[in-house]
Amino acid sequence: MKKFYLFALLFLIQSSIYSQNLFVTRSMSLGNTSASTSYELDAFNQNPANLILQRSNNKASAYFNIITNLGVHASSKFLSLDFYNNYFTKDANGNTRTLSDQNKSNIFNEVSNQPSDILISSKLLAVVLNTKKIGSFGFSIDERFTGNFKASKDLLNIALYGNISNSLYDFSQTELNAFWTRELNLSYANKVNTRGNKFFNSLTYGVSVKPQFGLYYLKTQSNNLTVSTNNFNVIQSSGNMELVYSGLTSNNDLKYSPGNAGFGVGFDAGVNARIKNVSRYGSLNIGLSITDLGFIKWTKNDNKYFYDGNFVITDITNKAQIDSLRDRIKGSKTPIPDFSVSLPATLRLGISFKLFDSGKKDSLSLERGTLAVDYIQNLNENLGSSLKSIVGFGVEVNLTKVLSPRIGFAIGGRDNFVATMGLGIDTGPVLIDLGTYNIGSIFTPKATTKFSAGLNIKFKVN
């Protein structure tokens, strides 16, 4: 289990990413809006009804990408370059830096009970085929790694100030969770005939069936560890910690493999409606979707790791007592039955207004920009999700048929507030999206505690 812990901790230290189901670069740069604004490949896992939609100057028969879609978002209070340079590098004379009481106080206040979260997502393959008569069909393969680590305030306290007599330390807030999954996505979208309809100019619907393949699952099931000290140098601990694991290997070594340790299925559904007679200068769309309804059943190398924290040390020089403590720290490993975990179901509601030049809505080449707002609500906290809702706002301006700068912001979630930006480049056969979920990643890279970057290269077949 030590190898898995070491890998997870190193990965968090190097990448430290936050997850709230951010998988699409364009959506990420538009304040996480997508329910009514996403197109073709970007509609996967956001709103399958939008799979059939395209930017108004595009009328392609197919879109695809192959390992050209990668998204990363990181959040951690204590893993910025400035934080590291201020406290843990050598001083100007090349000497090892000694932390002052003020340094320790700053670290304690900045880091205590602050989570480090990670999400890396990549589409290994994605294809959308558009037909004139029977709708659009989509297929994609997604790889996702999510990790969450949180050090309790008292764990950091003892690391900075040592074991202080007559104190009580509560480690119950310390958590380590990591999840690695692979997903196939089979999607279909079509349009409803709205001729003669009083309310809608157009109405699309979409559904997705998504086989799920679990590679690794590690979750802190329970933790109520506490440690107390007294004036006679007696250290007493109580409580225990349990971790649940399932993975490709029985010895907890990580490996990349086409195999799986769990299997399940997920479902997405959505609609997108263009409202009639809103404005002669543009169109108003409303999108609604629910994604990741389903589960993964973990069946391979299922184990519970139990760490007994009940011990007393009356003499730290007593070898027998220290050896007994080492045995307890190693923990015990017990096989457990197969278990199921729900997917991170998410509800999205979005409204967008698409602006056209001169009010000529039928002149598709004159689309000038989009304003969008989304409400996003995760329905559970599984596989790295958060129940804190997000409201996102985004603006895209089509300066030309080629360049589309984007900007936005999002309120809520674990980040509370982020400002976003990106750029779309439409060269004809190749579409490129660049974006970030935190502008600080670009303008203040050393100081940012929320690193975020996305790249998506798509290919269009007319």
Side-chain angles (χ1 to χ4, degrees), residues 225-227 236-241 306-311 328:
L225 291 173
T226 60
V227 174
Q236 183 171 352
S237 173
S238 63
N240 55 68
M241 181 178 183
F306 180 81
Y307 300 88
D308 186 357
N310 295 287
F311 63 86
R328 291 180 181 274

Side-chain angles (χ1 to χ4, degrees), residues 15-306:
S15 304
S16 184
I17 302 170
Y18 160 73
S19 64
Q20 184 89 15
N21 294 336
L22 294 167
F23 306 127
V24 179
T25 301
R26 180 172 180 265
S27 169
M28 186 167 65
S29 61
L30 283 170
N32 205 8
T33 59
S34 64
S36 64
T37 59
S38 52
Y39 297 127
E40 17 86 10
L41 299 182
D42 293 347
F44 284 117
N45 300 306
Q46 307 292 312
N47 186 349
N50 298 346
L51 204 73
I52 198 170
L53 303 179
Q54 305 179 54
R55 185 178 169 184
S56 57
N57 63 327
N58 290 333
K59 289 298 176 182
S61 59
Y63 293 85
F64 71 93
N65 62 27
I66 303 175
I67 320 179
T68 55
N69 184 322
L70 177 65
V72 171
H73 187 65
S75 178
S76 174
K77 292 289 187 181
F78 58 95
L79 294 179
S80 70
L81 288 176
D82 280 352
F83 184 92
Y84 174 76
N85 291 333
N86 288 340
Y87 301 119
F88 300 109
T89 57
K90 294 183 179 181
D91 61 23
N93 298 320
N95 300 318
T96 300
R97 193 185 300 272
T98 300
L99 294 178
S100 66
D101 289 340
Q102 185 61 52
N103 291 152
K104 293 179 180 179
S105 177
N106 291 341
I107 293 173
F108 182 77
N109 291 330
E110 288 182 43
V111 178
S112 293
N113 288 333
Q114 297 295 331
S116 296
D117 301 306
I118 176 169
L119 174 65
I120 294 180
S121 175
S122 176
K123 272 188 169 46
L124 304 181
L125 172 67
V127 179
V128 170
L129 299 176
N130 297 315
T131 69
K132 293 182 179 180
K133 294 184 178 181
I134 57 175
S136 296
F137 299 86
F139 171 79
S140 71
I141 305 174
D142 291 81
E143 201 91 8
R144 301 173 188 169
F145 181 91
T146 304
N148 315 112
F149 174 70
K150 182 170 70 172
S152 68
K153 177 177 66 176
D154 286 352
L155 180 63
L156 189 64
N157 191 3
I158 202 170
L160 289 170
Y161 299 103
N163 184 15
I164 302 174
S165 298
N166 202 27
S167 298
L168 175 66
Y169 298 99
D170 182 358
F171 300 151
S172 63
Q173 297 301 310
T174 299
E175 290 186 31
L176 174 61
N177 307 304
F179 319 107
W180 186 352
T181 62
R182 182 176 297 132
E183 174 187 278
L184 301 185
N185 189 315
L186 305 170
S187 296
Y188 173 74
N190 206 346
K191 296 181 178 180
V192 175
N193 187 349
T194 57
R195 185 177 299 174
N197 191 288
K198 296 180 180 180
F199 303 103
F200 305 128
N201 273 324
S202 69
L203 179 64
T204 65
Y205 65 91
V207 293
S208 301
V209 179
K210 306 191 299 186
Q212 305 286 320
F213 301 89
L215 280 71
Y216 288 94
Y217 178 93
L218 176 69
K219 183 173 177 58
T220 303
Q221 192 74 4
S222 63
N223 180 8
N224 60 352
L225 291 173
T226 60
V227 174
S228 63
T229 61
N230 62 24
N231 292 326
F232 302 101
N233 295 320
V234 174
I235 301 174
Q236 183 171 352
S237 173
S238 63
N240 55 68
M241 181 178 183
E242 288 186 0
L243 302 176
V244 173
Y245 167 83
S246 181
L248 294 175
T249 58
S250 59
N251 59 357
N252 314 124
D253 287 334
L254 287 175
K255 68 176 184 179
Y256 189 83
S257 169
N260 62 287
F263 179 77
V265 64
F267 301 93
D268 299 347
V271 293
N272 192 330
R274 179 177 167 183
I275 309 302
K276 268 188 175 180
N277 302 322
V278 173
S279 170
R280 61 187 295 264
Y281 295 102
S283 62
L284 181 72
N285 279 62
I286 299 176
L288 175 66
S289 69
I290 186 165
T291 59
D292 287 323
L293 290 172
F295 69 96
I296 297 178
K297 185 175 183 179
W298 297 89
T299 59
K300 192 170 184 179
N301 299 314
D302 298 343
N303 290 295
K304 177 180 73 174
Y305 290 83
F306 180 81

Side-chain angles (χ1 to χ4, degrees), residues 248-376:
L248 294 175
T249 58
S250 59
N251 59 357
N252 314 124
D253 287 334
L254 287 175
K255 68 176 184 179
Y256 189 83
S257 169
N260 62 287
F263 179 77
V265 64
F267 301 93
D268 299 347
V271 293
N272 192 330
R274 179 177 167 183
I275 309 302
K276 268 188 175 180
N277 302 322
V278 173
S279 170
R280 61 187 295 264
Y281 295 102
S283 62
L284 181 72
N285 279 62
I286 299 176
L288 175 66
S289 69
I290 186 165
T291 59
D292 287 323
L293 290 172
F295 69 96
I296 297 178
K297 185 175 183 179
W298 297 89
T299 59
K300 192 170 184 179
N301 299 314
D302 298 343
N303 290 295
K304 177 180 73 174
Y305 290 83
F306 180 81
Y307 300 88
D308 186 357
N310 295 287
F311 63 86
V312 177
I313 295 179
T314 59
D315 182 1
I316 60 173
T317 64
N318 186 308
K319 185 176 184 301
Q321 291 186 12
I322 298 302
D323 288 344
S324 175
L325 176 58
R326 288 197 183 101
D327 291 338
R328 291 180 181 274
I329 291 176
K330 290 179 182 178
S332 62
K333 173 182 173 181
T334 306
I336 59 175
D338 299 346
F339 61 95
S340 295
V341 177
S342 298
L343 298 178
T346 304
L347 177 70
R348 289 179 174 84
L349 173 64
I351 301 175
S352 61
F353 183 79
K354 189 171 294 184
L355 183 67
F356 292 83
D357 259 355
S358 305
K360 298 178 181 179
K361 289 185 287 185
D362 295 330
S363 300
L364 298 181
S365 63
L366 297 179
E367 180 185 337
R368 289 307 182 198
T370 302
L371 292 83
V373 57
D374 270 28
Y375 172 79
I376 305 162

